[in-house]
Amino acid sequence: MKKNKVYIETYGCQMNFADTEVVMGILKNKGYQITKDADDANVILLNTCSIRDNAEQRIYGRLGNLKKLKEVDSSKVIGILGCMAERLRKDLIEDKKMVDLVVGPDEYRRLPEFIDEAFAGEKGIGVKLSRTETYDDIIPFREDGLSAWISVMRGCDKFCTFCVVPYTRGRERSRSLESVVEEIETLSQKGFKEATLLGQNVNSYNDNGRDFADLLSAAASVDTSIRIRFTTSHPQDLSDKLLFTIAEHRNLCNYIHLPVQSGSNRILEGMNRTYTIEHYLDLIDRARRIIPGVSFSTDIISGFPTETYEDHIATLDVMQKVRYDGAYMFKYSPREGTKAFKIIDDVPEDVKAKRLSEIIDLQQRISYEINQEMIGKYEILLVEGFSRKSNDFLAGRTDTNKVAIFPAAEGITRGDYVKIKINRATSGTLFGNLIESVDIKGNPLTLTA
Ligand code: 5AD
Ligand code: SF4
């Protein structure tokens, strides 16, 4: 019997989810079948994340479970892909003897080879990083759906001192603009309604002088009924040209994920973030002037080495000044090999936790207040399907990436745009009444006979 069933689990950032689709594309081309059942698989792969210690611990836990499957059937191959493969290759394969296969983010083309080696009883290891690999020509395997991730650049050259990404994903490199446009054309033909352009730092996209604004503009023009989103932006490279491009295209979403990390200039310098808070706030002001109604989310780290109470207050202060719609908030986690790892992790765990919980509480209050202000307003949603709790309600997202719920109505399904009037809100969800079916611009749909 051919051993060709592969099961993949994905952890971490959206880049990893996009990579899993590339991996599935590569494996399907070689005759592998994707299965959703680990018991049934000949090859079990975990696409992993190293960004914080707790991500890695979770994956080690899962590996422990999966090894039990291997005890039952020793012919199964278990492999690690992604950032942990890059960071912990020796530990995983030699010291702990936990897996048969370790393949980093730039070696997925050779995955079928490594799997064959593993089937033959050897250890398959591919962890070289590349300066050029973008998987430009690989057609990712996607189930038909509404939203797609498209990775447009890989790696990161920013070297924030806390971050392991430049070491696990290597140097920045961009896909060609044409290949991204072609991918969106295919998505459009398949009925997709949303594409998110991904990169660790999308604003440094550069395809022979064509920058991220050029890419966004080309992406938005493929099919004006497809919403285009992007993430993640670094404040250093968010140009006015880019802001004007977002303002100009209706289907470029008015939503920017702009990690601030800390509100203290001293800490920002220690993090090598290359901007000051004054520069950051000025950028937010400019974006709000150029793109009326734009919303922001951010990433924040509490307890970076040497962070004082005053630094922490400065973070709370910047949150109040910007009033983010949402935030991803983390305790600092020392990562071996990074510059910050050499500085003593001197903020005690309980202090980090307390500061983090103050940050989370404040963000919840701000999100709640912002959402309350939306009551009585109209919003256009892209309908994603039934709400998680009940089939009597449909859920969708606003242009600014907020989840909104409204009573299900006949004839309205996943993939439709609708206009709703908000009548209630929590910090995480808007609730509304359906007004009418519309197009992406909010124009009522006229029924044709
Ligand atoms: N500890 C805590 N948070 C981190 N991040 C990156 N590295 C670390 C770390 N060592 C956070 C940053 C980044 C997000 C993706 O993860 O806020 O923007
Ligand atoms: Fe890490 Fe900084 Fe690059 Fe983001 S910009 S991936 S935080 S090094």
Side-chain angles (χ1 to χ4, degrees):
M1 204 177 63
K2 200 162 184 302
K3 294 195 276 186
N4 68 346
K5 285 196 190 145
V6 183
Y7 168 84
I8 311 188
E9 241 170 58
T10 311
Y11 294 82
C13 66
Q14 288 149 351
M15 288 290 289
N16 255 14
F17 284 82
D19 278 0
T20 290
E21 294 178 343
V22 167
V23 165
M24 292 197 290
I26 291 169
L27 292 176
K28 284 202 74 118
N29 267 342
K30 292 278 175 190
Y32 282 93
Q33 276 178 29
I34 310 297
T35 166
K36 293 200 163 135
D37 178 5
D39 279 318
D40 184 38
N42 310 109
V43 183
I44 298 176
L45 301 173
L46 302 186
N47 192 359
T48 62
C49 170
S50 288
I51 195 99
R52 282 170 293 277
D53 185 57
N54 55 9
E56 288 188 349
Q57 292 313 321
R58 214 175 121 218
I59 293 161
Y60 272 124
R62 181 67 179 136
L63 259 182
N65 287 337
L66 290 171
K67 282 209 68 159
K68 297 204 179 98
L69 292 180
K70 190 158 166 127
E71 281 160 21
V72 178
D73 173 2
S74 63
S75 74
K76 278 194 201 302
V77 162
I78 299 187
I80 292 285
L81 313 180
C83 290
M84 274 173 84
E86 214 51 61
R87 214 178 79 74
L88 298 166
R89 43 195 136 171
K90 197 163 155 288
D91 182 50
L92 285 164
I93 230 164
E94 288 166 22
D95 302 350
K96 295 216 174 85
K97 301 204 182 339
M98 290 188 90
V99 296
D100 310 299
L101 191 77
V102 172
V103 183
D106 287 347
E107 293 250 56
Y108 295 148
R109 275 179 209 273
R110 295 180 58 205
L111 187 57
E113 256 174 69
F114 296 127
I115 294 177
D116 286 344
E117 283 171 19
F119 276 139
E122 286 163 41
K123 298 285 179 193
I125 308 186
V127 287
K128 272 205 215 90
L129 289 170
S130 157
R131 289 193 171 259
T132 52
E133 179 63 274
T134 60
Y135 302 111
D136 221 356
D137 56 319
I138 304 277
I139 300 171
F141 174 73
R142 298 194 171 98
E143 313 221 338
D144 283 342
L146 203 62
S147 299
W149 310 114
I150 304 183
S151 97
V152 301
M153 52 96 59
R154 301 179 71 82
C156 183
D157 289 352
K158 284 281 183 284
F159 288 94
C160 300
T161 57
F162 51 79
C163 187
V164 79
V165 166
Y167 308 96
T168 58
R169 288 190 162 268
R171 299 286 61 74
E172 270 175 21
R173 64 222 104 114
S174 301
R175 274 176 66 174
S176 74
L177 185 144
E178 286 75 18
S179 77
V180 177
V181 164
E182 265 171 41
E183 199 166 331
I184 300 173
E185 279 165 358
T186 311
L187 293 172
S188 159
Q189 282 152 16
K190 290 190 170 163
F192 279 77
K193 284 282 178 285
E194 188 173 73
T196 305
L197 309 188
L198 296 176
Q200 238 70 46
N201 178 17
V202 281
N203 317 118
S204 10
Y205 177 87
N206 181 349
D207 172 26
N208 292 312
R210 291 178 297 182
D211 63 13
F212 190 61
D214 298 329
L215 177 70
L216 268 186
S217 183
S221 309
V222 171
D223 176 346
T224 53
S225 76
I226 291 187
R227 278 182 176 175
I228 306 284
R229 302 185 182 281
F230 56 95
T231 198
T232 285
S233 300
H234 191 291
Q236 191 190 327
D237 305 313
L238 198 75
S239 67
D240 280 2
K241 176 179 171 191
L242 180 60
L243 298 173
F244 280 112
T245 305
I246 299 170
E248 189 185 319
H249 292 268
R250 188 64 192 237
N251 59 330
L252 290 180
C253 289
N254 291 347
Y255 167 70
I256 305 177
H257 182 63
L258 196 66
V260 66
Q261 312 295 5
S262 166
S264 152
N265 282 336
R266 189 180 63 83
I267 295 293
L268 287 173
E269 201 180 330
M271 290 176 162
N272 187 32
R273 288 291 291 177
T274 70
Y275 52 84
T276 61
I277 278 303
E278 292 72 27
H279 168 232
Y280 183 93
L281 290 173
D282 178 55
L283 188 55
I284 297 269
D285 275 350
R286 281 209 320 269
R288 286 193 163 137
R289 251 181 283 126
I290 296 171
I291 315 168
V294 65
S295 80
F296 291 97
S297 61
T298 199
D299 292 344
I300 294 174
I301 296 176
S302 85
F304 184 79
T306 80
E307 185 187 77
T308 62
Y309 180 70
E310 284 69 35
D311 295 322
H312 167 61
I313 295 296
T315 298
L316 298 178
D317 185 53
V318 84
M319 291 170 70
Q320 263 156 331
K321 284 191 174 126
V322 177
R323 294 174 65 77
Y324 296 102
D325 281 68
Y328 300 91
M329 300 156 282
F330 314 101
K331 273 188 289 189
Y332 170 67
S333 168
R335 308 313 286 138
E336 206 176 340
T338 60
K339 264 205 168 153
F341 192 74
K342 300 192 189 109
I343 321 172
I344 300 168
D345 180 21
D346 60 351
V347 180
E349 187 57 28
D350 59 327
V351 175
K352 272 186 200 167
K354 182 161 185 291
R355 290 181 188 167
L356 179 64
S357 89
E358 285 175 18
I359 289 169
I360 293 172
D361 287 349
L362 174 59
Q363 182 54 48
Q364 270 220 315
R365 209 174 72 221
I366 294 171
S367 298
Y368 180 79
E369 285 168 9
I370 291 178
N371 287 354
Q372 291 302 305
E373 285 158 20
M374 293 183 69
I375 293 174
K377 298 200 171 135
Y378 296 92
E379 280 290 332
I380 298 164
L381 307 183
L382 172 59
V383 179
E384 293 180 355
F386 289 116
S387 85
R388 254 187 293 155
K389 291 192 186 142
S390 156
N391 283 3
D392 295 333
F393 291 87
L394 289 167
R397 260 173 218 274
T398 65
D399 180 71
T400 54
N401 212 23
K402 288 175 189 289
V403 174
I405 309 277
F406 63 98
E410 205 159 312
I412 296 193
T413 55
R414 181 177 158 84
D416 292 345
Y417 287 101
V418 294
K419 185 190 242 180
I420 67 163
K421 185 173 184 189
I422 313 295
N423 56 33
R424 187 164 76 81
T426 64
S427 62
T429 315
L430 305 171
F431 298 86
N433 302 326
L434 175 67
I435 302 297
E436 59 196 346
S437 281
V438 291
D439 65 12
I440 191 173
K441 295 187 187 140
N443 299 320
L445 291 186
T446 43
L447 292 173
T448 46

PDB file of all heavy atoms in Angstrom, residues 178-190:
ATOM      1  N   GLU A 178       3.716  40.383 -10.370  1.00  0.00           N
ATOM      2  CA  GLU A 178       2.863  39.648 -11.317  1.00  0.00           C
ATOM      3  C   GLU A 178       2.326  38.353 -10.706  1.00  0.00           C
ATOM      4  O   GLU A 178       1.168  38.000 -10.910  1.00  0.00           O
ATOM      5  CB  GLU A 178       3.638  39.303 -12.605  1.00  0.00           C
ATOM      6  CG  GLU A 178       3.875  40.475 -13.528  1.00  0.00           C
ATOM      7  CD  GLU A 178       4.974  41.417 -13.028  1.00  0.00           C
ATOM      8  OE1 GLU A 178       5.773  40.994 -12.158  1.00  0.00           O
ATOM      9  OE2 GLU A 178       5.029  42.566 -13.505  1.00  0.00           O
ATOM     10  N   SER A 179       3.189  37.651  -9.961  1.00  0.00           N
ATOM     11  CA  SER A 179       2.729  36.357  -9.431  1.00  0.00           C
ATOM     12  C   SER A 179       1.644  36.568  -8.374  1.00  0.00           C
ATOM     13  O   SER A 179       0.732  35.753  -8.246  1.00  0.00           O
ATOM     14  CB  SER A 179       3.900  35.536  -8.883  1.00  0.00           C
ATOM     15  OG  SER A 179       4.289  36.018  -7.623  1.00  0.00           O
ATOM     16  N   VAL A 180       1.736  37.663  -7.638  1.00  0.00           N
ATOM     17  CA  VAL A 180       0.701  37.952  -6.637  1.00  0.00           C
ATOM     18  C   VAL A 180      -0.611  38.298  -7.348  1.00  0.00           C
ATOM     19  O   VAL A 180      -1.690  37.805  -6.995  1.00  0.00           O
ATOM     20  CB  VAL A 180       1.143  39.091  -5.693  1.00  0.00           C
ATOM     21  CG1 VAL A 180       0.029  39.441  -4.709  1.00  0.00           C
ATOM     22  CG2 VAL A 180       2.417  38.717  -4.944  1.00  0.00           C
ATOM     23  N   VAL A 181      -0.498  39.133  -8.375  1.00  0.00           N
ATOM     24  CA  VAL A 181      -1.694  39.515  -9.138  1.00  0.00           C
ATOM     25  C   VAL A 181      -2.361  38.274  -9.745  1.00  0.00           C
ATOM     26  O   VAL A 181      -3.585  38.107  -9.658  1.00  0.00           O
ATOM     27  CB  VAL A 181      -1.325  40.554 -10.230  1.00  0.00           C
ATOM     28  CG1 VAL A 181      -2.415  40.684 -11.283  1.00  0.00           C
ATOM     29  CG2 VAL A 181      -1.023  41.901  -9.589  1.00  0.00           C
ATOM     30  N   GLU A 182      -1.542  37.389 -10.300  1.00  0.00           N
ATOM     31  CA  GLU A 182      -2.108  36.161 -10.884  1.00  0.00           C
ATOM     32  C   GLU A 182      -2.835  35.333  -9.834  1.00  0.00           C
ATOM     33  O   GLU A 182      -3.898  34.773 -10.097  1.00  0.00           O
ATOM     34  CB  GLU A 182      -0.983  35.292 -11.460  1.00  0.00           C
ATOM     35  CG  GLU A 182      -0.768  35.515 -12.933  1.00  0.00           C
ATOM     36  CD  GLU A 182       0.495  34.809 -13.401  1.00  0.00           C
ATOM     37  OE1 GLU A 182       0.745  33.665 -12.962  1.00  0.00           O
ATOM     38  OE2 GLU A 182       1.247  35.432 -14.169  1.00  0.00           O
ATOM     39  N   GLU A 183      -2.245  35.295  -8.656  1.00  0.00           N
ATOM     40  CA  GLU A 183      -2.875  34.497  -7.604  1.00  0.00           C
ATOM     41  C   GLU A 183      -4.241  35.091  -7.238  1.00  0.00           C
ATOM     42  O   GLU A 183      -5.211  34.363  -7.016  1.00  0.00           O
ATOM     43  CB  GLU A 183      -1.950  34.422  -6.373  1.00  0.00           C
ATOM     44  CG  GLU A 183      -2.319  33.284  -5.469  1.00  0.00           C
ATOM     45  CD  GLU A 183      -1.248  32.961  -4.428  1.00  0.00           C
ATOM     46  OE1 GLU A 183      -0.042  33.191  -4.689  1.00  0.00           O
ATOM     47  OE2 GLU A 183      -1.624  32.480  -3.359  1.00  0.00           O
ATOM     48  N   ILE A 184      -4.319  36.407  -7.217  1.00  0.00           N
ATOM     49  CA  ILE A 184      -5.610  37.038  -6.884  1.00  0.00           C
ATOM     50  C   ILE A 184      -6.618  36.812  -8.017  1.00  0.00           C
ATOM     51  O   ILE A 184      -7.806  36.605  -7.766  1.00  0.00           O
ATOM     52  CB  ILE A 184      -5.423  38.536  -6.567  1.00  0.00           C
ATOM     53  CG1 ILE A 184      -4.482  38.688  -5.368  1.00  0.00           C
ATOM     54  CG2 ILE A 184      -6.767  39.213  -6.269  1.00  0.00           C
ATOM     55  CD1 ILE A 184      -4.078  40.104  -5.058  1.00  0.00           C
ATOM     56  N   GLU A 185      -6.123  36.800  -9.257  1.00  0.00           N
ATOM     57  CA  GLU A 185      -7.025  36.504 -10.380  1.00  0.00           C
ATOM     58  C   GLU A 185      -7.649  35.117 -10.208  1.00  0.00           C
ATOM     59  O   GLU A 185      -8.855  34.937 -10.389  1.00  0.00           O
ATOM     60  CB  GLU A 185      -6.261  36.574 -11.713  1.00  0.00           C
ATOM     61  CG  GLU A 185      -6.110  38.006 -12.200  1.00  0.00           C
ATOM     62  CD  GLU A 185      -5.056  38.163 -13.303  1.00  0.00           C
ATOM     63  OE1 GLU A 185      -4.397  37.168 -13.682  1.00  0.00           O
ATOM     64  OE2 GLU A 185      -4.889  39.301 -13.766  1.00  0.00           O
ATOM     65  N   THR A 186      -6.819  34.149  -9.832  1.00  0.00           N
ATOM     66  CA  THR A 186      -7.336  32.786  -9.612  1.00  0.00           C
ATOM     67  C   THR A 186      -8.357  32.781  -8.479  1.00  0.00           C
ATOM     68  O   THR A 186      -9.411  32.149  -8.569  1.00  0.00           O
ATOM     69  CB  THR A 186      -6.181  31.819  -9.249  1.00  0.00           C
ATOM     70  OG1 THR A 186      -5.152  32.010 -10.194  1.00  0.00           O
ATOM     71  CG2 THR A 186      -6.621  30.385  -9.229  1.00  0.00           C
ATOM     72  N   LEU A 187      -8.035  33.498  -7.412  1.00  0.00           N
ATOM     73  CA  LEU A 187      -8.967  33.547  -6.276  1.00  0.00           C
ATOM     74  C   LEU A 187     -10.292  34.143  -6.710  1.00  0.00           C
ATOM     75  O   LEU A 187     -11.364  33.683  -6.311  1.00  0.00           O
ATOM     76  CB  LEU A 187      -8.361  34.373  -5.133  1.00  0.00           C
ATOM     77  CG  LEU A 187      -7.140  33.761  -4.454  1.00  0.00           C
ATOM     78  CD1 LEU A 187      -6.512  34.761  -3.483  1.00  0.00           C
ATOM     79  CD2 LEU A 187      -7.518  32.480  -3.709  1.00  0.00           C
ATOM     80  N   SER A 188     -10.221  35.177  -7.526  1.00  0.00           N
ATOM     81  CA  SER A 188     -11.435  35.842  -7.997  1.00  0.00           C
ATOM     82  C   SER A 188     -12.295  34.864  -8.795  1.00  0.00           C
ATOM     83  O   SER A 188     -13.509  34.763  -8.593  1.00  0.00           O
ATOM     84  CB  SER A 188     -11.021  37.058  -8.830  1.00  0.00           C
ATOM     85  OG  SER A 188     -12.052  37.445  -9.684  1.00  0.00           O
ATOM     86  N   GLN A 189     -11.642  34.096  -9.679  1.00  0.00           N
ATOM     87  CA  GLN A 189     -12.399  33.111 -10.473  1.00  0.00           C
ATOM     88  C   GLN A 189     -13.054  32.057  -9.584  1.00  0.00           C
ATOM     89  O   GLN A 189     -14.115  31.537  -9.900  1.00  0.00           O
ATOM     90  CB  GLN A 189     -11.478  32.411 -11.471  1.00  0.00           C
ATOM     91  CG  GLN A 189     -11.175  33.285 -12.685  1.00  0.00           C
ATOM     92  CD  GLN A 189      -9.823  32.941 -13.308  1.00  0.00           C
ATOM     93  OE1 GLN A 189      -9.252  31.883 -13.038  1.00  0.00           O
ATOM     94  NE2 GLN A 189      -9.303  33.840 -14.133  1.00  0.00           N
ATOM     95  N   LYS A 190     -12.402  31.767  -8.462  1.00  0.00           N
ATOM     96  CA  LYS A 190     -12.958  30.738  -7.580  1.00  0.00           C
ATOM     97  C   LYS A 190     -13.987  31.297  -6.603  1.00  0.00           C
ATOM     98  O   LYS A 190     -14.478  30.585  -5.735  1.00  0.00           O
ATOM     99  CB  LYS A 190     -11.838  30.081  -6.774  1.00  0.00           C
ATOM    100  CG  LYS A 190     -10.948  29.216  -7.627  1.00  0.00           C
ATOM    101  CD  LYS A 190     -10.019  28.414  -6.757  1.00  0.00           C
ATOM    102  CE  LYS A 190      -9.291  27.367  -7.573  1.00  0.00           C
ATOM    103  NZ  LYS A 190      -8.123  26.854  -6.876  1.00  0.00           N
TER     104      LYS A 190
END
